[in-house]
Amino acid sequence: MFIGAKEEIWPLKQPFRISRGSRTEARVVVVTVSDGKHLGRGEGIPLARYNQSIASVLAQIESIKSEKNLDRRGLQELLPAGAARNALDCALWDLEAKASGKRVWELANIPIVPEVETSFTISLDTPVKMSAAASAAAFAQGFGVPRILKLKLGGDDLDLSRVQAVRETAPAARLLIDANESWSPWHYREIVPTLKELRVELIEQPFPAHADEVLETLDHPLPVCADESCHITADLPHLTNRYEVINVKLDKTGGLTEALRLCSRARETDFKLLIGCMVCTSLAIAPARLLASTANWVDLDGPLLLARDRDHPVPYPNGKIGIPPRELWG
């Protein structure tokens, strides 16, 4: 089997900012696998937060190029969860689909619906600028009346004003918030009651992953979602009594194979599901889209943040996500 990997850089429409910093481009690794007749592709997004870089991901992929008879099951043992395994796992799913003449959801025996509604992320900024971004997003993405907006917050004194400003701009929108580990317990206690009054539906990762045990001592008037605290199925036991929801991202699980396992086990243990993504192209969204049919929330807007996307992209009709075209993946 041939395995290739390369870096690609995709400029963003505008700077994207969260509590840990900002970026102006998406740097991704694209993996290709071939059996000599068919070609499969996958995309991974290395994150410094998880001690990954383009170089480290390329090195991981290089380290297994000599493996004979590589398949998805063996891959789970060869590479740890992360962007490298994600790109290669998804490429192997794509190759299998191309070789079999089936779509990946048929191979995985999972349901697929024609469209699912996704949130659109509003980057961290001043209240005025976030309000303006929410208004602009409604029209630029064809949302009409804003449906679901995900607001990045920063753990400072402006957080509540940010949400209030967006709520005034978009009174009918469903609101999710993502703190990216930036809050203190005091901040949580101070603003969560008002967030509930503002009809926020979900709080994502308020505290650092290494300090999230404090959630066991706090009231949860709104469901709290684990992102940085949940990567793989083995993480679930210690999340009980801390979170009600988990954010499943393929770059954390290390691909669709482990993501399917995580989703199944999470449902069995009464967690709700949010299917998320990094800032990425449609090639990374396509496999994640397969998980969205039965999720409680979907946050797969990565390509909408790009200045341009791939050829044959995942369709986004009126704030929803359609089925990935076969020319793209799976």
Side-chain angles (χ1 to χ4, degrees), residues 232-255:
I232 58 176
T233 307
D235 294 329
L236 288 175
H238 80 269
L239 303 180
T240 304
N241 300 322
R242 299 182 187 182
Y243 298 95
E244 291 77 35
V245 185
I246 63 167
N247 185 336
V248 180
K249 294 178 180 175
L250 272 62
D251 279 300
K252 294 189 301 176
T253 65

Side-chain angles (χ1 to χ4, degrees), residues 216-294:
E216 297 183 28
T217 70
L218 296 168
D219 291 334
H220 290 215
L222 297 171
V224 183
C225 176
D227 183 2
E228 287 85 349
S229 289
C230 183
H231 291 239
I232 58 176
T233 307
D235 294 329
L236 288 175
H238 80 269
L239 303 180
T240 304
N241 300 322
R242 299 182 187 182
Y243 298 95
E244 291 77 35
V245 185
I246 63 167
N247 185 336
V248 180
K249 294 178 180 175
L250 272 62
D251 279 300
K252 294 189 301 176
T253 65
L256 182 61
T257 301
E258 171 62 16
L260 289 167
R261 186 180 301 117
L262 174 58
C263 288
S264 176
R265 184 58 183 153
R267 291 190 191 97
E268 291 172 0
T269 49
D270 295 325
F271 287 102
K272 293 184 177 180
L273 296 177
L274 183 155
I275 307 303
C277 65
M278 309 304 185
V279 182
C280 60
T281 79
S282 278
L283 182 58
I285 293 297
R289 167 66 177 82
L290 273 58
L291 304 172
S293 295
T294 57

Side-chain angles (χ1 to χ4, degrees), residues 12-277:
L12 306 187
K13 288 178 183 175
Q14 55 194 17
F16 182 77
R17 184 182 175 211
I18 66 172
S19 61
R20 287 191 293 268
S22 62
R23 69 184 69 182
T24 59
E25 61 191 18
R27 299 183 65 194
V28 310
V29 171
V30 174
V31 169
T32 54
V33 294
S34 176
D35 59 6
K37 202 172 172 185
H38 304 93
L39 184 73
R41 296 190 302 163
E43 176 179 310
I45 299 87
L47 281 191
R49 169 63 181 82
Y50 302 133
N51 300 313
Q52 299 171 346
S53 66
I54 294 290
S56 71
V57 167
L58 290 174
Q60 282 184 303
I61 295 166
E62 184 67 28
S63 72
I64 64 167
K65 280 187 175 181
S66 61
E67 290 290 330
K68 295 182 179 179
N69 303 315
L70 180 66
D71 60 15
R72 288 183 286 103
R73 180 173 298 187
L75 178 63
Q76 309 307 303
E77 305 300 324
L78 289 170
L79 290 179
R85 195 175 80 186
N86 175 33
L88 189 47
D89 181 77
C90 291
L92 289 169
W93 274 106
D94 188 31
L95 178 64
E96 185 177 345
K98 299 296 194 318
S100 68
K102 297 181 178 180
R103 300 303 302 266
V104 169
W105 61 84
E106 295 175 296
L107 297 175
N109 194 28
I110 56 177
I112 190 78
V113 295
E115 293 180 344
V116 292
E117 196 164 21
T118 182
S119 61
F120 180 78
T121 303
I122 304 299
S123 181
L124 178 66
D125 214 316
T126 65
V128 170
K129 289 184 178 180
M130 290 182 71
S131 174
S135 179
F139 299 99
Q141 307 303 339
F143 277 66
V145 175
R147 294 190 177 111
I148 311 175
L149 299 175
K150 181 176 177 180
L151 314 182
K152 293 289 188 178
L153 300 184
D156 57 22
D157 292 342
L158 293 178
D159 273 353
L160 204 51
S161 297
R162 292 178 175 114
V163 181
Q164 289 168 331
V166 171
R167 174 52 77 205
E168 290 176 8
T169 295
R174 297 170 58 192
L175 299 184
L176 317 176
I177 61 172
D178 186 1
N180 288 112
E181 305 181 281
S182 66
W183 287 7
S184 67
W186 179 88
H187 192 70
Y188 179 100
R189 293 188 188 97
E190 283 293 304
I191 74 169
V192 166
T194 305
L195 293 178
K196 183 174 177 62
E197 293 175 4
L198 291 167
R199 293 179 284 117
V200 168
E201 292 186 16
L202 182 74
I203 301 170
E204 188 175 339
Q205 198 69 42
F207 306 119
H210 66 81
D212 65 357
E213 67 275 5
V214 70
L215 283 165
E216 297 183 28
T217 70
L218 296 168
D219 291 334
H220 290 215
L222 297 171
V224 183
C225 176
D227 183 2
E228 287 85 349
S229 289
C230 183
H231 291 239
I232 58 176
T233 307
D235 294 329
L236 288 175
H238 80 269
L239 303 180
T240 304
N241 300 322
R242 299 182 187 182
Y243 298 95
E244 291 77 35
V245 185
I246 63 167
N247 185 336
V248 180
K249 294 178 180 175
L250 272 62
D251 279 300
K252 294 189 301 176
T253 65
L256 182 61
T257 301
E258 171 62 16
L260 289 167
R261 186 180 301 117
L262 174 58
C263 288
S264 176
R265 184 58 183 153
R267 291 190 191 97
E268 291 172 0
T269 49
D270 295 325
F271 287 102
K272 293 184 177 180
L273 296 177
L274 183 155
I275 307 303
C277 65

